[in-house]
Amino acid sequence: PMYRRNDTAALDRITLGYVVVPWQGSLDTAKPVSASFGDQVSLLSFESPDSLSPGAEFDVVLYWEALRPPEDDYVVFVHLQAADGQPVASHDGPPLDGRYPTTAWLPGDVVPHVVHMALDPQTPVGTYRLQVGMYQWPGMERLPVWDSEGVEQTDRVIVLQQIEVH
């Protein structure tokens, strides 16, 4: 039998490693962020629409870079929230749907992560806040976040931008 870390349940397969093809794209059109998550990972930049219509589907592209080998396989969350904090669209999941977990990230490699989201057709017109964070599973403890100026974010998220729904 094979075991993972301290888990007593036997595994039927094991991952020996990952074949990594370095990303060759450009960040020229992406909006810079430079936020640090737990002093392990940096969110370099992102791409997202500035406005949406109710019921719209849209993508948010996050460009990550490991600052050092991450300590755990983290879950990324992307939330589009109203002023009262209520989410109108959200996504929680491992980067790249688990195909390239954060423990496999190498310092200096840029990891583009596309998050597909959808607004409910009944979403009211207004201004919403797009925010991102990371947490450990299953404890759901969020990694601390520092913005580009080194200010720690008290709610452990980084607000990327405002999105208008019209």
Side-chain angles (χ1 to χ4, degrees):
M2 298 180 292
Y3 302 94
R4 181 171 190 235
R5 296 187 185 147
N6 296 330
D7 194 346
T8 58
L11 302 172
D12 60 354
R13 70 188 109 152
I14 188 166
T15 301
L16 298 177
Y18 296 90
V19 176
V20 178
V21 178
W23 182 66
Q24 300 295 317
S26 169
L27 297 176
D28 292 344
T29 60
K31 300 167 190 167
V33 179
S34 299
S36 174
F37 292 78
D39 287 329
Q40 299 176 60
V41 176
S42 176
L43 179 58
L44 301 173
S45 56
F46 74 101
E47 295 177 49
S48 174
D50 295 324
S51 64
L52 297 165
S53 299
E57 293 187 19
F58 62 102
D59 288 333
V60 177
V61 184
L62 306 168
Y63 296 96
W64 300 100
E65 178 183 29
L67 301 171
R68 60 184 174 91
E71 297 169 359
D72 207 343
D73 290 328
Y74 297 109
V75 173
V76 174
F77 65 88
V78 181
H79 297 163
L80 186 60
Q81 289 187 331
D84 64 2
Q86 291 300 310
V88 295
S90 65
H91 173 86
D92 289 42
L96 303 167
D97 297 322
R99 293 185 315 274
Y100 191 29
T102 55
T103 53
W105 293 5
L106 301 173
D109 286 348
V110 176
V111 179
H113 172 203
V114 179
V115 175
H116 187 74
M117 300 175 71
L119 283 179
D120 187 287
Q122 303 303 315
T123 301
V125 169
T127 303
Y128 296 87
R129 187 175 58 240
L130 183 65
Q131 60 187 28
V132 173
M134 282 186 151
Y135 60 86
Q136 292 176 308
W137 182 260
M140 297 188 66
E141 181 179 344
R142 291 181 179 181
L143 290 177
V145 181
W146 292 269
D147 68 12
S148 62
E149 296 176 6
V151 176
E152 187 169 2
Q153 306 301 292
T154 56
D155 50 0
R156 296 189 168 197
V157 299
I158 192 76
V159 176
L160 300 180
Q161 72 175 36
Q162 304 290 326
I163 294 180
E164 293 292 327
V165 174
H166 52 83

